[in-house]
Amino acid sequence: MSEFWALFKTLFVNSVGLSVIWSDKTGRRKRLLKTLGLGLLIAVGFAPAIYLYTRILTQAYDLLAPLGQQGVVISLGLTLASGMVFFFGVFYVISTFYFTDYMQNLLALPLAPWQLLGAQFSLVVVYEYLSTLPFILPPLLI
């Protein structure tokens, strides 16, 4: 089981790109600041959409409260999240299982097939959780 977690950690670090930042000794600070700046820029770019989504859900909750139908807000959030899981899942699965260059190197290692497939599947699941988290949390909190 320890090989599975080591493989999963390695695949996650390599797919996110953290290994490039950690291994670069010369331009480490500049590259780290560039990466953090890009992440901050992406967060600022998505902030208005998340704000409007939260505002719509809050108004929907206020409209449905007199009718006793507040659960529709959670249903709406889960429906949106499941659509996103399907949409992004197609691309995540294809890119993780079919368009990877490291599979030839991993097949030569003394790992069981369930460890290879399990680590890749776990990577896809983590990607899905991270991509749907901003859209599933507001309905649950409202």
Side-chain angles (χ1 to χ4, degrees):
M1 194 63 161
S2 64
E3 292 95 6
F4 170 78
W5 289 112
L7 180 62
F8 172 73
K9 180 183 166 192
T10 304
L11 291 178
F12 183 74
V13 167
N14 285 334
S15 65
V16 174
L18 296 175
S19 61
V20 174
I21 296 170
W22 288 338
S23 67
D24 189 16
K25 302 292 186 214
T26 58
R28 184 176 191 162
R29 183 178 173 116
K30 186 176 181 180
R31 186 178 291 236
L32 180 65
L33 289 175
K34 190 184 296 186
T35 304
L36 290 176
L38 182 62
L40 182 66
L41 187 65
I42 289 172
V44 168
F46 277 116
I50 298 297
Y51 172 75
L52 289 175
Y53 176 61
T54 307
R55 180 84 186 223
I56 288 169
L57 289 175
T58 306
Q59 289 180 354
Y61 183 84
D62 292 339
L63 286 173
L64 295 169
L67 301 172
Q69 297 293 323
Q70 299 94 336
V72 174
V73 175
I74 295 175
S75 305
L76 177 69
L78 291 176
T79 303
L80 178 67
S82 65
M84 287 184 58
V85 165
F86 177 73
F87 180 74
F88 286 121
V90 170
F91 298 110
Y92 287 152
V93 167
I94 289 173
S95 68
T96 303
F97 284 98
Y98 297 110
F99 293 133
T100 55
D101 296 333
Y102 56 79
M103 188 51 79
Q104 294 296 325
N105 297 332
L106 292 178
L107 288 174
L109 296 175
L111 297 170
W114 70 268
Q115 291 171 336
L116 291 172
L117 291 176
Q120 286 183 324
F121 179 75
S122 299
L123 189 66
V124 170
V125 169
V126 167
Y127 283 157
E128 290 292 338
Y129 285 160
L130 291 176
S131 63
T132 59
L133 193 64
F135 294 98
I136 199 68
L137 275 182
L140 293 177
L141 294 177
I142 290 174

